Amino acid sequence: MVTEHTSSSPAQVLVASNRGPITYTLGEDGTLDARRGGGGLVSGLSAVDDKLWVCAALGDGDREAVRRGVGEPGVRMLDIDPEVHADAYNGIANSVLWFVHHLLYQTPVEPVFDAEFRRQWASYETYNRAFAEALAQEAAEGAAVLVQDYHLALVPGMLRALRPDLRIGHFSHTPWAPVDYFRLLPDDIAEQLLHGILGADRAAFLTRRWADAFIGCCTEILGGTGRTRIGVHGLGADADFLRRRSHEADVDERMAALREQVGEDRKTIVRVDRTELSKNIVRGLHAYRTLLETRPEWRERVVHIAFAYPSRQDLAVYRDYTAAVQSLATEINGAYGTESWTPVVLHVKDDFARSLAAYRLADVALVNPIRDGMNLVAKEVPVVSDHGCALVLSREAGAYEELSEDAIVVNPYDVTGTAEALHEALTMSGDERSGRTKRLAEAATALPPQQWFLDQLEALRQE
């Protein structure tokens, strides 16, 4: 069910996303604790004061907050049936759409689009309809509505049918699959997804590559994109926030602890990721192991700081992947470690201050996703690096489009090539590394989150 709570007056700017800017935790004594989220979207939306953010209640605390009428101005949380949300979010968005756009399927055995898939797809439709109805209810005449990501791909079309007066935009934070891979989906589902996004006046993407892939799918399957305009907005790092936050006391404390773990006069290779299948952490560890095997001069002289924060652990395939990361790190430490040197320092508990400390310490940043819409880590490290950092970057990351000239670019499947790139990065001269870092930071901050959002809003209003 969707709550009937509405804001006091119709909104002129509305944003819709699965996750909102605030999360509630229900204490044992019945109290609700509110915690504000971070990230590019939250930062970007701070550019607009008078807006309404429509999001889903994601847990028991959120749902209890909605039922008690607890909330904050500018946010409407939808209490969608938990089973419907689970089907839509885990069953379809994360287990089908994410896999399609990141090319993750082992196609000899998956996907299998059967009756269970159709049942979950019906929940995905219900979930999207709840958002469309809430947005239609809350929007002022001619308001601008910006719908976010693959969770809500059907919303623009549904909302257009309810409120043809609105200016509707959809933004994809993921890659978009090439047409041959997109057509793994059942034909009617593929068409429904495309029609859903084409309900928007404007569909936007992080890179030209993903936009072109979407256009290719629309052209091949539907004969074109109709009246929908296509845009590209490459989300950048929030330089002011990162530089300020990375020099606070808790970050300094984490830096001291990491330096102790690393040891004196050793170089560091840093990666910070969720244990998400597309992030390619296992191959990254294999590449590091290959570096130690083939370049023994690096033994005891380098430490791989790997932060792999668990993601989507309610899905078995993600739990298995997290376990594989931990197992391989243990294996490398067992094979090469000494009494005074731990080759891999692995942390799996999310800690933003520790991540920033690692960014500042990094001699080399390893960002090697199989496929990634953007990858803000690649942009954040150069911004906060204390003494310059060489970036080893997958050509399959969206950030490649902006950062490739000053990164060491790798094929994410090529473990041997990645090991050689790590060696090149570790041996880069200080002057070259410093120069590259400066240029990377400039490119990485060219479109900070607030400007990224305002540009989309302005483009939508001009359509």
Side-chain angles (χ1 to χ4, degrees), residues 23-322:
T23 301
Y24 294 94
T25 304
L26 183 62
E28 291 183 8
D29 60 353
T31 58
L32 284 169
D33 179 45
R35 179 183 176 191
R36 291 199 67 82
L41 188 57
V42 173
S43 180
L45 297 186
S46 67
V48 179
D49 291 328
D50 184 20
K51 64 181 179 293
L52 179 68
W53 193 327
V54 178
C55 56
L58 298 183
D60 292 339
D62 288 356
R63 293 189 182 95
E64 184 61 24
V66 173
R67 289 162 191 164
R68 293 184 191 179
V70 173
E72 64 174 65
V75 178
R76 178 175 173 184
M77 214 173 250
L78 306 182
D79 184 9
I80 298 167
D81 180 277
E83 291 185 6
V84 170
H85 184 270
D87 283 344
Y89 181 70
N90 282 327
I92 298 298
N94 289 342
S95 295
V96 176
L97 302 184
W98 182 272
F99 273 59
V100 167
H101 289 316
H102 291 83
L103 317 185
L104 293 177
Y105 280 123
Q106 298 181 59
T107 53
V109 293
E110 56 181 5
V112 178
F113 296 124
D114 54 11
E116 174 63 7
F117 163 77
R118 293 286 174 173
R119 186 192 67 77
Q120 292 180 327
W121 182 258
S123 292
Y124 183 77
E125 292 174 317
T126 300
Y127 171 73
N128 276 249
R129 193 170 298 111
F131 272 85
E133 290 172 355
L135 291 164
Q137 183 183 29
E138 298 282 5
E141 183 75 18
V145 181
L146 290 107
V147 181
Q148 306 297 312
D149 230 358
Y150 61 104
H151 313 92
L152 302 177
L154 304 182
V155 167
M158 292 175 170
L159 183 57
R160 173 69 63 215
L162 294 169
R163 291 288 303 273
D165 60 295
L166 299 177
R167 308 300 291 169
I168 304 170
H170 186 277
F171 193 89
S172 292
H173 294 263
T174 64
W176 193 272
V179 64
D180 287 348
Y181 207 89
F182 188 72
R183 298 200 82 160
L184 288 175
L185 292 166
D187 291 353
D188 61 317
I189 300 298
E191 291 179 15
Q192 192 177 349
L193 282 165
L194 296 176
H195 280 305
I197 291 178
L198 293 179
D201 296 286
R202 195 166 185 274
F205 299 84
L206 286 164
T207 73
R208 186 75 249 167
R209 180 182 180 188
W210 311 141
D212 288 345
F214 176 76
I215 293 168
C217 288
C218 291
T219 301
E220 179 79 16
I221 296 170
L222 302 179
T225 55
R227 296 181 178 179
T228 302
R229 306 278 295 181
I230 308 300
V232 175
H233 302 273
L235 175 62
D238 187 343
D240 292 341
F241 165 74
L242 287 167
R243 287 175 178 142
R244 181 180 68 251
R245 181 69 183 87
S246 64
H247 286 87
E248 292 180 4
D250 59 342
V251 177
D252 290 334
E253 290 171 11
R254 305 300 196 280
M255 281 186 72
L258 284 173
R259 280 199 184 100
E260 189 173 337
Q261 285 183 292
V262 169
E264 291 293 322
D265 301 322
R266 288 186 177 128
K267 290 187 178 289
T268 57
I269 299 169
V270 168
R271 81 170 307 133
V272 177
D273 282 306
R274 292 176 295 111
T275 50
E276 210 293 310
L277 306 181
S278 66
K279 299 299 184 182
N280 208 24
I281 301 168
V282 169
R283 284 194 191 89
L285 286 167
H286 279 302
Y288 178 62
R289 180 173 193 154
T290 300
L291 174 74
L292 298 180
E293 287 173 358
T294 59
R295 302 278 185 175
E297 65 268 26
W298 286 115
R299 296 177 194 174
E300 302 215 41
R301 291 182 53 219
V302 66
V303 171
H304 185 14
I305 299 174
F307 296 163
Y309 301 141
S311 173
R312 302 175 185 170
Q313 295 298 292
D314 42 357
L315 296 177
V317 66
Y318 285 89
R319 293 195 298 273
D320 292 346
Y321 191 74
T322 301

Side-chain angles (χ1 to χ4, degrees), residues 353-417:
R354 188 174 57 207
S355 297
L356 290 173
Y359 288 177
R360 287 179 57 187
L361 282 173
D363 294 294
V364 177
L366 175 59
V367 181
N368 68 319
I370 293 168
R371 195 169 167 87
D372 209 331
M374 177 54 68
N375 195 295
L376 282 178
V377 171
K379 294 186 168 186
E380 291 168 351
V381 177
V383 172
V384 302
S385 171
D386 277 0
H387 53 268
C389 177
L391 175 63
V392 175
L393 179 65
S394 166
R395 67 189 184 198
E396 298 302 317
Y400 166 84
E401 206 162 282
E402 299 162 70
L403 306 183
S404 60
E405 286 187 19
D406 289 293
I408 300 171
V409 177
V410 295
N411 172 348
Y413 300 96
D414 184 354
V415 168
T416 303

